[in-house]
């Protein structure tokens, strides 16, 4: 049975410059990408899209899912995104693709199926919290935008909306509450840390600099010599690509922070290579007198 469509409008995505047609059919809101960046071409495509929806599903054009292995598809997308988003974001999306998207969807047809996307949303709500799922669906949305741009899709699949009341599922191990420490407690914990770990990492200097500057671990691990710091310098250079908020700046250093950096600073390369210091930090907290539930 035909479905009456109400008046439609075009909206341009400021990021991709692609036009989307918005209209109502049978009382429902419809948002469909035209895949076009030229307004005249978008208007022609919008007319066709509205006509297809009005005439019924047997006339709707399939999404023309790409005939590519998902590993190749995601690899090409992530390589392209490296110029648009931070390295942290690319790594995060790479994890989503390898751990969740590829095993679940298996094929390009599965990835571009709106029914399969809805199944993914429902499945993930039984595994993760709503906020995590929103990030995963956002990554898929960016993927589909890129696929449209590269002419790998005819129409963009609709990303399912998470039900308003859905909260998702907490991790079985739970999440610890944030522990607030006094300056004296932080000093006591740092004093109990070994100067270096068994593998030679400058663990005390790492937490000393974190305590003095408030920098995130991800930022500390990206600091290098001589680009960001040289022994004796009064400022620490924070590059945009080293900061989660993309906030490049020069950070004044306290005498304690400079001493810690000087003790860990190599002639060249990463000042604080990545390491797992959670066990050592907890042991130091207990030695400093913190209660077990706060350590």
């Amino acid at each position: 049975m035909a479905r009456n469509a109400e008046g439609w409008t075009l909206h341009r995505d400021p990021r991709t410059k692609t036009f989307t047609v918005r209209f109502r059919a049978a009382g429902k809101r419809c948002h469909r990408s035209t895949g076009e960046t030229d307004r005249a071409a978008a208007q022609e495509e919008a007319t066709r899209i509205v006509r297809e929806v009005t005439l019924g599903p047997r006339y709707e054009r399939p999404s023309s899912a790409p005939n590519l292995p998902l590993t190749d598809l995601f690899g090409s997308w992530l390589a392209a995104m490296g110029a648009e988003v931070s390295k942290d974001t690319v790594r995060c999306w790479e994890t989503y693709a390898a751990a969740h998207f590829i095993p679940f969807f298996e094929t390009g047809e599965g990835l571009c199926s709106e029914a399969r996307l809805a199944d993914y949303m429902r499945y993930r709500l039984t595994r993760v919290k709503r906020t995590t799922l929103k990030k995963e669906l956002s990554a898929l949305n960016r993927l589909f935008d890129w696929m449209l741009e590269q002419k790998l899709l005819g129409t963009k699949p609709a990303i399912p909306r998470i039900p308003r009341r859905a909260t998702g599922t907490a991790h079985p191990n739970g999440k610890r509450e944030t522990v607030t420490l006094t300056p004296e407690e932080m000093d006591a914990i740092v004093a109990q840390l070994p100067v270096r770990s068994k593998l030679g990492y400058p663990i005390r200097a790492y937490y000393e600099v974190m305590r003095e500057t408030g920098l995130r671990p991800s930022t500390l691990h990206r600091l290098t010599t001589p680009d960001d710091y040289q022994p004796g310098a009064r400022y620490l250079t924070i590059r945009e690509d080293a900061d989660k908020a993309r906030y490049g700046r020069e950070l004044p250093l306290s005498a304690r922070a400079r001493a810690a950096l000087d003790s860990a600073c190599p002639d060249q390369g990463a000042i604080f290579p990545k390491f797992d210091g959670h066990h050592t930090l907890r042991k130091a907290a207990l030695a400093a007198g913190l209660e077990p539930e706060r350590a």
Side-chain angles (χ1 to χ4, degrees):
M1 182 178 177
R3 294 169 288 177
N4 294 328
E6 300 171 19
W8 55 266
T9 57
L10 282 177
H11 297 265
R12 193 171 195 173
D13 187 318
R15 184 178 67 254
T16 65
K17 309 302 181 184
T18 301
F19 283 96
T20 297
V21 58
R22 299 181 182 179
F23 59 98
R24 281 180 173 271
K28 295 182 179 180
R29 293 179 181 176
C30 298
H31 295 184
R32 302 291 176 88
S33 175
T34 65
E36 302 289 348
T37 55
D38 177 74
R39 179 174 287 276
Q43 288 175 335
E44 182 179 348
E45 180 67 6
T47 300
R48 188 195 61 75
I49 291 172
V50 174
R51 184 175 64 250
E52 287 179 347
V53 173
T54 303
L55 292 174
R58 70 178 184 276
Y59 293 98
E60 291 178 7
R61 182 177 62 182
S63 62
S64 62
N67 187 23
L68 286 173
L70 288 189
T71 51
D72 294 345
L73 176 66
F74 279 103
S76 298
W77 171 59
L78 291 169
M81 290 298 100
E84 297 184 16
V85 299
S86 69
K87 292 180 180 178
D88 279 345
T89 300
V90 171
R91 279 193 288 267
C92 180
W93 288 349
E94 186 176 16
T95 299
Y96 291 166
H100 308 304
F101 300 155
I102 294 174
F104 187 89
F105 295 109
E106 297 183 339
T107 65
E109 184 177 358
L111 176 66
C112 298
S113 165
E114 293 185 358
R116 194 67 176 146
L117 286 166
D119 288 341
Y120 179 82
M121 177 199 69
R122 287 187 286 267
Y123 169 74
R124 290 298 287 162
L125 282 173
T126 67
R127 297 293 189 275
V128 297
K129 297 292 286 183
R130 180 192 185 95
T131 52
T132 300
L133 177 58
K134 285 180 67 175
K135 294 175 183 178
E136 294 175 10
L137 295 180
S138 175
L140 286 174
N141 190 54
R142 291 292 296 273
L143 169 67
F144 292 144
D145 284 340
W146 175 80
M147 290 170 70
L148 278 174
E149 175 190 291
Q150 299 299 312
K151 307 300 182 183
L152 295 174
L153 273 179
T155 56
K156 180 179 176 180
I159 298 294
R161 293 187 178 183
I162 303 173
R164 187 173 300 177
R165 296 179 181 274
T167 59
T169 305
H171 191 278
N173 292 336
K175 184 177 180 180
R176 295 188 61 189
E177 295 183 359
T178 301
V179 177
T180 302
L181 300 173
T182 66
E184 293 75 20
E185 287 174 330
M186 287 188 279
D187 290 340
I189 292 171
V190 170
Q192 292 295 329
L193 288 167
V195 175
R196 290 186 177 270
S197 69
K198 292 180 180 179
L199 296 178
Y201 297 119
I203 194 164
R204 183 184 292 179
Y206 172 78
Y207 285 108
E208 183 80 88
V209 174
M210 183 185 293
R211 183 252 187 277
E212 288 293 299
T213 63
L215 292 173
R216 298 181 177 92
S218 59
T219 301
L220 289 174
H221 288 310
R222 288 189 174 87
L223 298 178
T224 63
T225 303
D227 297 331
D228 304 321
Y229 180 78
Q230 296 184 33
R234 301 180 65 85
Y235 292 86
L236 182 66
T237 301
I238 308 296
R239 290 169 284 112
E240 284 190 3
D241 61 354
D243 187 71
K244 183 177 181 180
R246 312 289 288 178
Y247 174 37
R249 62 200 184 277
E250 283 194 339
L251 183 68
L253 295 169
S254 66
R256 287 177 61 175
R258 291 201 304 273
L261 284 165
D262 289 348
S263 70
C265 208
D267 293 334
Q268 187 173 4
I271 301 175
F272 299 115
K274 288 189 176 181
F275 61 90
D276 185 359
H278 290 87
H279 177 74
T280 304
L281 185 63
R282 175 175 168 78
K283 186 176 179 181
L286 292 172
L290 264 72
E291 301 85 353
E293 60 271 17
R294 297 182 66 222

